[in-house]
Amino acid sequence: MIRTIGILGAGRVGSAIARTALTAGYAVNISGSGPGSDIEMLVDIVVPGARAMSASDAVANSDLVIIAVPLHKYRTVSPALLSGKIVIDTMNYWEPIDGRLDDFTTDARSSSEVVSDYFTGARVVKTLNHIGYHELEADNHAAGRDQRRALAIAGDDDAASVVAEIIDRFGFDAVYAGPLETGAAFEPGTAIFGGRHTADELGAELGLTGSTTLFSGAEL
């Protein structure tokens, strides 16, 4: 059972995820790029209740890790640090922001597949990348609400089922797209990216059929 979530990245995305996780009842460890003391005051103000730590301590003391750093910084995180962990990849490739990154411009695969190759030993799941950070705390609703917003998940099915419960507790239906490569369907430039969809609408966009592809509070 996931009780504590570690978040690597204390910017707007990481902070919004941290607040959402705290509201959902999780304990949260959050890190920037240095010692926890560097961000302790910021965290106390922006994410009250979260614990500021170094990245290594945040990971070591968490059941699951969320990476919420700009994509061009993903190689600053040691693969050894995340080995054995379920890792949620929230990152997107934005060339105007990240600059040209050969890792992604010379590889036709989804960004999460490339990231997964780097984080050998981690079980990478792609989600939370296709919702604005400001929408996480505005669009979340309890399970069963009509027209509840849904978020897509891609990764191995065991890890995805763990992440689906987190997404549900965050206030969204979770739609399992399939293995990690299916995450290409909700990267920037797709119809799903940035759009608001119910589970049925998202399943249709992903070309899925049948309720067995959907995770919601009622099914967990």
Side-chain angles (χ1 to χ4, degrees), residues 188-214:
T190 65
I192 294 173
F193 187 84
R196 286 180 168 83
H197 301 87
T198 64
D200 287 343
E201 291 167 346
L202 188 51
E205 289 285 356
L206 291 166
L208 304 175
T209 58
S211 60
T212 56
T213 59
L214 308 180

Side-chain angles (χ1 to χ4, degrees), residues 106-129:
T106 62
D107 194 320
R109 297 178 299 165
S110 69
S111 61
S112 289
E113 291 174 274
V114 176
V115 167
S116 181
D117 281 355
Y118 174 70
F119 291 119
T120 302
R123 300 166 70 189
V124 174
V125 175
K126 187 183 192 74
T127 191
L128 294 173
N129 71 301

Side-chain angles (χ1 to χ4, degrees), residues 12-215:
R12 292 177 178 175
V13 175
S15 296
I17 293 172
R19 289 191 297 270
T20 303
L22 287 165
T23 300
Y26 293 103
V28 172
N29 301 325
I30 187 167
S31 75
S33 58
S37 57
D38 284 358
I39 59 169
E40 196 167 31
M41 182 178 295
L42 172 69
V43 169
D44 285 346
I45 295 170
V46 178
V47 196
R51 296 172 294 205
M53 298 182 179
S54 67
S56 58
D57 286 344
V59 171
N61 292 286
S62 298
D63 302 310
L64 175 145
V65 178
I66 299 176
I67 301 181
V69 302
L71 187 58
H72 67 271
K73 294 184 176 179
Y74 83 97
R75 286 184 178 274
T76 65
V77 181
S78 168
L81 193 64
L82 301 180
S83 184
K85 294 283 188 180
I86 294 176
V87 175
I88 296 178
D89 173 19
T90 70
M91 300 178 290
N92 291 299
Y93 178 42
W94 298 96
E95 188 168 344
I97 295 173
D98 295 304
R100 179 182 171 83
L101 301 179
D102 288 345
D103 285 4
F104 304 98
T105 56
T106 62
D107 194 320
R109 297 178 299 165
S110 69
S111 61
S112 289
E113 291 174 274
V114 176
V115 167
S116 181
D117 281 355
Y118 174 70
F119 291 119
T120 302
R123 300 166 70 189
V124 174
V125 175
K126 187 183 192 74
T127 191
L128 294 173
N129 71 301
H130 64 96
I131 181 171
Y133 67 86
H134 54 288
E135 296 169 347
L136 271 174
E137 298 167 280
D139 287 0
N140 58 346
H141 295 290
R145 179 187 169 109
D146 187 39
Q147 299 297 305
R148 191 190 198 204
R149 186 169 176 176
L151 298 178
I153 297 175
D156 77 68
D157 53 1
D158 286 342
S161 67
V162 173
V163 173
E165 183 171 357
I166 292 171
I167 295 300
D168 178 66
R169 285 179 59 176
F170 277 14
F172 302 88
D173 283 343
V175 176
Y176 179 52
L180 196 56
E181 58 264 32
T182 63
F186 45 98
E187 291 194 324
T190 65
I192 294 173
F193 187 84
R196 286 180 168 83
H197 301 87
T198 64
D200 287 343
E201 291 167 346
L202 188 51
E205 289 285 356
L206 291 166
L208 304 175
T209 58
S211 60
T212 56
T213 59
L214 308 180
F215 295 86

